[in-house]
């Protein structure tokens, strides 16, 4: 497996694509806004171990130009997934696997609707990567990714993908239960990606310094656990305590959604807040604070983009 | 009873004070920001029946200059009540009554802490009055006020105050249960004064047009009813339905808190949201959405004033 297409040239796609290209894989990027810059200047990455540049990456504005590959990595925002039915088919050969590295819940389902469940995998990125300008990706700390099959335990194919990442210098691990991992990631993302925006655009340290917002964040974590439990995933309260405890060291941190919000970009409201609320409700569990956060963020997002 | 002191020269104090002065009462205004303008140009009011001006109102920056009166009307924002211990004593003679026309819960208690419960009365204003510039009060529709004794049924004194208002052309009625009336007023104020701000600074028609925010508003009303019930006040769900139904005709309405917010003025976060949540909690009833709204608004208010 070494022909790889990257869908989306934002922070995640740019970083993992560049790392995989640097390791000798044939990586092809679907790009829109960054295409001209990357064709002219290459793709630059500032990683924890130093800076490097992919001088002449294969990049195009359509997947027809990229052609069939062994692995597709979907790395744009979930709000762009309505374009998957147009974008994915030209990339497929008989055994192409499609790995979505997107946030929240629902991405695997959206990919599977186009390419079939058997081709679909998903992953979660635990990183703080930024695309600070077109063609420049900045990743200050070594992150990690967790990847899994969609609705199945880890497979031989999955282990090959993990090995591919690891060979490229990316910390990666396989999971047998991708769906549970997604709920676990929501334990932090639901409160902090949301409350930082709803409370006026403030960093996580200021959320924690406000007694009410701190309590609200912890209560939202409990609601995520309740939603997960309604769907059969048992995550202990101690996991939420751990997620609270790991936040102060982040300092004046801006979660990715807050960065999106402040830049006037679309918010992943449905995948991070809407879909979890709907799945919990369908399983008979109301999550009042999380639903309220969803409603407020959806309304705020409808007013974006605006200058702040 | 015809010497009256008005504490606060905002919309409510300016309007009722001017109406009472116009009817021949000796009305004395405690003013801060508007004092120079009102001394120079008088106090102008645009009422539904026409415009009038109190040419030379008695106005001062301290209550020592105003001296003892029969009736004190507290009409500044609850956020200024920390000054009551300094402001009220100079206005008192042996039988002075103090009527607070402030929003939310807790104002009677704050007045009573200074002057004693027996002097204390409270009232609710159902109006849409604005102080559009210093010394100019605009009241487009005839409103009404409901007044009551603090913790007691209506008294002879209360009926005299109602008559005083009525003689001045103000629609007024007495209530035997002021505390219940305050909870009833919260049924509308808690959702609409709050959600319009938390959802980004939008008018009530836009709250209603958003399916999520509309549902949230109705759910917040139910929580107000639950809080009231925990304190022994039975308000039927039909009252909440009525409050929802009366909102669309208001059109692109800006609740007073939204006007405060957009003008960078202090929000009455504690009296409208904080105190009701605390009283319900003390009575054993958690109100999750209302508490969340309180936490968010308190955090937003801490970032005000800012230009919008």
């Amino acid at each position: 497996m070494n022909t790889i297409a990257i869908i989306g040239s934002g922070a995640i796609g740019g970083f993992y694509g560049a790392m995989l290209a640097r390791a000798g894989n044939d990586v092809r990027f679907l790009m829109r806004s960054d295409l001209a810059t990357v064709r002219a200047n290459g793709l630059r990455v500032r990683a924890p171990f130093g800076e490097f540049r992919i001088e002449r990456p294969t990049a195009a504005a359509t997947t027809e130009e990229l052609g069939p590959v062994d692995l597709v990595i979907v790395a744009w925002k979930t709000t762009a997934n309505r374009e998957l039915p147009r974008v994915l088919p030209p990339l497929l050969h008989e055994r192409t696997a499609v790995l979505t590295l997107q946030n929240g819940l629902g991405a695997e389902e959206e990919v599977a609707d186009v390419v079939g469940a058997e081709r679909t995998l998903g992953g979660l990125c635990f990183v703080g990567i930024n695309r600070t300008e077109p063609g420049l990706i900045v990743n200050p700390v070594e992150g990690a990714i967790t990847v899994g099959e969609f609705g199945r335990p880890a497979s031989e194919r999955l282990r090959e993908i993990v090995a591919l990442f690891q060979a490229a210098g990316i910390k990666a691990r396989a999971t047998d239960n991708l769906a549970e991992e997604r709920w676990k990631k929501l334990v932090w993302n639901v409160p902090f990606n949301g409350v930082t925006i709803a409370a006026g655009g403030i960093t996580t340290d200021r959320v924690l310094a406000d007694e009410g917002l701190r309590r609200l964040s912890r209560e939202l974590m409990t609601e995520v656990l309740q939603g997960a439990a309604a769907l059969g995933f048992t995550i202990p309260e101690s996991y939420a305590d751990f997620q609270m405890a790991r936040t102060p060291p982040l300092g004046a941190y801006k979660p990715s959604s807050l960065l999106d919000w402040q830049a006037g970009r679309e918010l992943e409201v449905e995948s991070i807040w809407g879909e979890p609320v709907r799945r919990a409700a369908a399983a008979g569990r109301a999550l009042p604070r999380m639903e309220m956060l969803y409603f407020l963020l959806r309304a705020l997002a409808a007013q974006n983009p605006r200058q702040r």
Side-chain angles (χ1 to χ4, degrees), chain A:
Chain A
M1 230 187 246
N2 55 13
T3 59
I4 303 165
I6 307 285
I7 306 303
S9 62
I12 297 290
F15 179 73
Y16 292 114
M19 290 289 282
L20 291 164
R22 178 171 166 272
N25 295 290
D26 172 2
V27 180
R28 309 167 189 181
F29 296 86
L30 176 71
M31 290 189 172
R32 294 170 295 186
S33 55
D34 288 18
L35 185 58
T37 306
V38 166
R39 278 186 172 156
N41 305 324
L43 181 60
R44 287 180 298 149
V45 174
R46 280 191 205 134
F49 57 80
E51 191 164 336
F52 68 94
R53 180 194 303 252
I54 307 300
E55 296 288 347
R56 249 171 255 282
T58 306
T62 69
T63 47
E64 283 81 0
E65 297 169 74
L66 301 182
V69 293
D70 302 319
L71 176 65
V72 178
I73 297 178
V74 180
W76 61 20
K77 297 214 300 195
T78 51
T79 49
N81 280 358
R82 55 185 170 270
E83 298 186 35
L84 289 177
R86 189 174 55 73
V87 159
L88 289 181
L91 300 171
L92 305 181
H93 60 51
E94 201 172 309
R95 295 183 2 133
T96 301
V98 181
L99 169 69
T100 163
L101 293 182
Q102 298 174 292
N103 282 321
L105 302 186
E108 287 84 18
E109 286 80 356
E110 291 177 320
V111 167
D113 280 348
V114 179
V115 303
E118 67 287 348
R119 290 184 189 268
T120 306
L121 306 97
L124 302 103
C125 306
F126 301 90
V127 287
I129 309 177
N130 267 304
R131 169 185 158 287
T132 56
E133 58 185 81
L136 177 60
I137 311 293
V138 175
N139 180 17
V141 290
E142 191 188 6
I145 66 174
T146 298
V147 293
E149 290 278 352
F150 172 45
R152 298 172 297 270
S155 62
E156 186 51 37
R157 167 178 72 174
L158 183 72
R159 275 180 270 277
E160 284 168 20
I161 292 172
V162 167
L164 176 78
F165 279 113
Q166 289 173 340
I170 300 158
K171 245 174 141 166
R173 59 177 275 268
T175 175
D176 284 321
N177 196 336
L178 177 62
E180 178 169 303
E181 296 286 342
R182 288 213 170 272
W183 276 96
K184 286 176 84 168
K185 189 157 191 233
L186 290 173
V187 172
W188 195 91
N189 281 353
V190 161
F192 286 108
N193 283 42
V195 172
T196 51
I197 295 171
I202 59 177
T203 45
T204 53
D205 58 333
R206 291 178 62 197
V207 170
L208 295 175
D210 179 306
E211 186 217 325
L213 298 182
R214 183 188 170 87
R215 233 181 80 193
L216 171 60
S217 299
R218 185 60 182 77
E219 289 166 340
L220 283 162
M221 287 186 175
T222 293
E223 289 195 3
V224 176
L225 301 185
Q226 291 168 345
L231 289 147
F233 307 120
T234 308
I235 309 170
E237 281 285 341
S238 61
Y239 184 77
D241 294 332
F242 163 71
Q243 291 298 326
M244 286 301 289
R246 80 173 181 84
T247 309
L250 300 179
Y253 184 72
K254 293 188 178 189
S256 60
S257 299
L258 177 59
L259 290 170
D260 288 340
W261 169 245
Q262 290 182 326
R265 294 189 294 260
E266 280 193 285
L267 286 184
E268 296 181 300
V269 174
E270 296 305 329
S271 52
I272 302 179
W273 297 278
E275 190 63 17
V277 165
R278 283 188 291 271
R279 290 189 185 189
R285 179 83 218 190
L287 306 175
R289 294 173 187 82
M290 209 162 136
E291 185 181 67
M292 177 166 167
L293 186 57
Y294 166 51
F295 288 154
L296 289 175
L297 292 171
R298 190 174 62 175
L300 289 169
Q303 297 161 54
N304 236 8
R306 54 179 175 183
Q307 301 310 313
R308 288 165 163 267

